Amino acid sequence: MAGQALPGLSLRGVDAANIDAVRALAPHAAQQRFIASNAESMALAAEHPHMHARAIYVEEVLAGFALYAGPGPAGRQDTHVLYRLMLAAGWQGRGHGRRALALLLDEMRARGAARVALYYAPDNLAARQLYASAGFAEMGIDADGEMMAVRAPA
């Protein structure tokens, strides 16, 4: 799934101009049990300098949020971890998640990722289908009860 520059969809930094709007984004109510809030994710990113918070825009409208980390002081140095990928409720079901994932994989590859890992609730069928269609292979359930999936971003 090579992500080319897709018209209308972009990843941008989270900064003073958009941070409050990013914190306010939420998925559908039924999905909120699957993902930490963006406010929690932003707090996590502030504590770890190897994390990258990205706002997802459709044209000039904020539509989602992603958080990933480059290699930290421990672990595989060729692996990035996608911690969050969410689209606000009104932006789901239009292919934006798939397009945003492609751009995120490209960005991680440009930062040196040879491998990307992510975790999701095993009963989150939308996430499971999205990641499987992008070539992520499930590796099993971790100690926190989340499914780990891995892929090379190429």
Side-chain angles (χ1 to χ4, degrees):
M1 174 165 106
Q4 57 273 11
L6 300 164
L9 190 103
S10 63
L11 301 176
R12 301 181 191 173
V14 176
D15 57 27
N18 65 9
I19 193 167
D20 290 335
V22 168
R23 285 184 181 126
L25 290 176
H28 289 288
Q31 297 169 323
Q32 290 178 7
R33 66 186 177 96
F34 293 135
I35 190 166
S37 73
N38 292 347
E40 290 174 84
S41 296
M42 293 303 303
L44 181 65
E47 296 174 13
H48 300 284
H50 60 283
M51 290 194 161
H52 306 279
R54 309 298 280 144
I56 301 167
Y57 281 81
V58 176
E59 300 297 336
E60 294 301 315
V61 180
L62 179 64
F65 170 74
L67 177 66
Y68 70 89
R76 289 180 57 149
Q77 293 302 298
D78 66 342
T79 301
H80 283 55
V81 178
L82 180 60
Y83 282 93
R84 309 281 186 269
L85 173 56
M86 68 79 62
L87 287 174
W91 291 99
Q92 295 180 19
R94 301 188 223 173
H96 298 310
R98 185 173 320 282
R99 294 169 62 200
L101 179 58
L103 291 176
L104 288 160
L105 291 171
D106 281 351
E107 188 170 297
M108 286 183 260
R109 184 177 44 247
R111 291 181 180 268
R115 195 174 96 114
V116 175
L118 54 79
Y119 301 83
Y120 54 87
D123 58 338
N124 184 344
L125 298 181
R128 179 175 247 162
Q129 291 171 347
L130 172 65
Y131 298 133
S133 73
F136 282 85
E138 293 182 340
M139 307 303 289
I141 305 293
D142 71 1
D144 295 325
E146 293 190 326
M147 176 61 70
M148 177 186 181
V150 176
R151 75 157 276 180

